[in-house]
């Protein structure tokens, strides 16, 4: 059920949940300073309590509600990339409820680029919002995905559906080099060139406690088996979903998707294809192997999600 900013603010203030559109994926929003509302987010999603939530803000001033010391790094990143698909991990203030962070001393924060969601946060203050899907299933990128997971009466804030289709980059900026805990549309190269800070990816630190706590859970997976294929099969089956990207593909069919090198569009639709395959009862999704090097900032994040989805 689509609701106005006004109506959504009322629901949040009552301590209830609203699905919010962002530029990445839909979020399941609650008042960050209402412990019961935040707890209810975990319950509704079936999310493990030790997988922390991102706090969404609408102005950099609100950082002061979440951290005692707003570092130069945080200010620089905020100026360069907010509003936008970049989440920063910073030291949390003691007043930030422990339920949000699963007991961690840090908190993840981002300012989404979405007019209605920013207007809502202006009225309510900071909102926690994990992706608006049942835990373990693909993130919601269309209103209908939320209806499928939470029912048709679930309130969804008005406004444009997510344009990117892949979750934000999560960046730990507590020490240099900064660490990318989850790749997204904002890449290490973009951060380095726009801020001058050094950035490394979490693979180097995977054996330390530095990776995103949520990354050990099975994320981004449909029920159908996802397999990466090197070559396009000569015969396509009607009970399999195919996702191709290379320019020469022209195969067609109800569940055959050709992107011809448009990786932004592929990212935008990926989770919908995953969900559609499940809806159709397909037990297999084949995805043409994505290239290593291409002039696409989304490609690295896309490969990350495909590889997670295809990990058995
Ligand atoms: O694009 C997005 O980030 C979307 C939209 C709604 O903003 N949100 C989203 O939230 O993807 P969620 O909860 O599905 O993923 C948040 C990720 C998880 O992998 C979680 O472990 C990590 O961020 N995270 C949250 N707080 C953290 C912290 N304090 N330290 C390290 N990782 C953290
Ligand atoms: Mg999620």
């Amino acid at each position: 059920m689509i609701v106005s900013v006004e109506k959504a603010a009322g629901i949040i203030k009552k301590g209830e949940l609203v699905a919010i559109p962002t530029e990445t994926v839909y979020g399941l929003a609650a008042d960050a300073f209402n412990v019961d509302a935040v707890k209810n987010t975990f319950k509704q999603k079936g999310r493990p309590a030790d997988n922390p939530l991102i706090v969404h803000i609408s102005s950099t001033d609100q950082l002061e509600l979440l951290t005692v010391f707003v570092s130069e790094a945080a200010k620089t990143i905020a100026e360069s990339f907010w509003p936008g698909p970049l989440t920063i991990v910073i030291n949390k203030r003691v007043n930030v409820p422990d339920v949000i962070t699963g007991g961690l001393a840090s908190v993840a924060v981002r300012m989404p680029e979405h007019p209605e969601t920013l207007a809502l946060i202006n009225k309510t203050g900071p909102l926690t919002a994990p992706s608006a899907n049942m835990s373990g299933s693909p993130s919601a990128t269309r209103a209908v995905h939320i209806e499928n997971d939470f029912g048709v009466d679930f309130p969804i804030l008005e406004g444009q559906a997510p344009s990117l289709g892949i979750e934000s980059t999560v960046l730990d900026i507590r020490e240099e080099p900064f660490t990318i805990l989850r790749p997204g549309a904002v890449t290490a190269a973009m951060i380095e060139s726009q801020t001058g800070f050094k950035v490394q990816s979490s693979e180097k630190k995977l054996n330390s406690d530095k990776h995103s706590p949520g990354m050990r859970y099975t994320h981004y997976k449909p029920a159908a088996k996802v397999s990466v294929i090197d070559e396009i099969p000569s015969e396509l089956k009607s009970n399999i979903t195919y996702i191709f990207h290379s320019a020469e593909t022209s195969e067609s069919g109800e569940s055959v998707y050709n992107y011809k090198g448009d990786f932004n569009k592929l990212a935008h639709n990926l989770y919908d294809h995953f969900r559609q395959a499940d809806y159709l009862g397909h037990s297999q999704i084949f995805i043409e192997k994505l290239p290593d090097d291409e002039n696409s900032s989304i490609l690295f994040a896309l490969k990350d999600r495909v590889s997670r989805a295809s990990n058995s």
Side-chain angles (χ1 to χ4, degrees):
M1 184 181 47
I2 303 293
V3 298
S4 65
V5 172
E6 202 69 44
K7 185 98 192 281
I11 298 172
I12 294 285
K13 284 177 188 161
K14 271 197 293 181
E16 292 168 14
L17 310 182
V18 177
I20 53 167
T22 79
E23 77 281 39
T24 57
V25 299
Y26 279 96
L28 189 61
D31 176 353
F33 291 102
N34 180 331
V35 172
D36 289 334
V38 176
K39 275 191 189 152
N40 193 25
T41 313
F42 285 89
K43 198 168 148 208
Q44 294 255 337
K45 270 185 67 98
R47 180 172 176 120
D50 64 352
N51 189 2
L53 307 182
I54 296 173
V55 180
H56 295 64
I57 60 176
S58 58
S59 80
T60 16
D61 294 347
Q62 290 170 341
L63 274 177
E64 286 163 25
L65 301 168
L66 306 169
T67 190
V68 172
F69 174 70
V70 182
S71 65
E72 281 309 311
K75 287 180 196 156
T76 309
I77 294 271
E79 250 167 54
S80 310
F81 293 102
W82 284 356
L86 178 63
T87 297
I88 58 171
V89 172
I90 54 181
N91 292 314
K92 89 171 185 78
R93 265 178 88 137
V94 284
N95 61 312
V96 175
D98 283 332
V99 276
I100 295 181
T101 64
L104 294 177
S106 62
V107 62
V109 187
R110 90 173 185 102
M111 191 191 296
E113 187 169 18
H114 194 285
E116 284 81 3
T117 287
L118 290 173
L120 174 64
I121 302 170
N122 277 338
K123 287 181 184 292
T124 58
L127 298 176
T128 48
S131 51
N133 53 282
M134 288 303 291
S135 189
S137 70
S139 296
T141 53
R142 313 271 195 271
V144 67
H145 299 162
I146 296 162
E147 291 178 4
N148 288 340
D149 282 18
F150 300 104
V152 286
D153 291 333
F154 200 87
I156 303 172
L157 175 63
E158 63 182 330
Q160 205 204 320
S163 52
L164 294 171
I166 294 226
E167 306 80 0
S168 63
T169 305
V170 179
L171 181 73
D172 188 343
I173 62 163
R174 285 175 298 168
E175 57 186 62
E176 247 198 293
F178 298 161
T179 309
I180 291 193
L181 305 176
R182 179 178 71 181
V186 175
T187 62
M190 286 159 72
I191 299 162
E192 288 192 343
S193 75
Q194 288 191 46
T195 68
F197 288 106
K198 282 265 158 295
V199 178
Q200 66 180 4
S201 82
S202 65
E203 266 87 275
K204 294 197 183 104
K205 286 202 171 184
L206 263 189
N207 294 325
S208 74
D209 63 354
K210 284 280 173 172
H211 61 281
S212 219
M215 296 312 247
R216 56 175 186 275
Y217 296 107
T218 52
H219 266 21
Y220 322 112
K221 259 194 177 160
K225 182 174 162 45
V226 178
S227 311
V228 174
I229 51 172
D230 287 320
E231 271 172 43
I232 295 174
S234 50
E235 237 177 84
L236 305 184
K237 299 199 171 111
S238 63
N239 61 348
I240 291 179
T241 294
Y242 299 91
I243 305 173
F244 302 135
H245 64 77
S246 52
E248 57 280 8
T249 50
S250 59
E251 284 75 7
S252 64
E254 205 204 329
S255 303
V256 183
Y257 305 102
N258 288 324
Y259 285 95
K260 300 189 185 294
D262 189 344
F263 299 110
N264 290 319
K265 196 166 169 197
L266 173 43
H268 176 78
N269 291 334
L270 183 73
Y271 294 146
D272 187 56
H273 295 335
F274 283 1
R275 283 173 175 262
Q276 188 67 15
D278 286 349
Y279 176 73
L280 292 172
H282 289 184
S283 54
Q284 177 76 63
I285 300 169
F286 283 129
I287 305 188
E288 184 184 358
K289 189 174 190 285
L290 294 160
D292 279 327
D293 207 301
E294 205 79 21
N295 272 342
S296 159
S297 58
I298 202 82
L299 195 55
F300 191 69
L302 198 52
K303 286 179 70 123
D304 171 80
R305 303 305 191 273
V306 167
S307 119
R308 281 170 205 289
S310 60
N311 257 345
S312 44

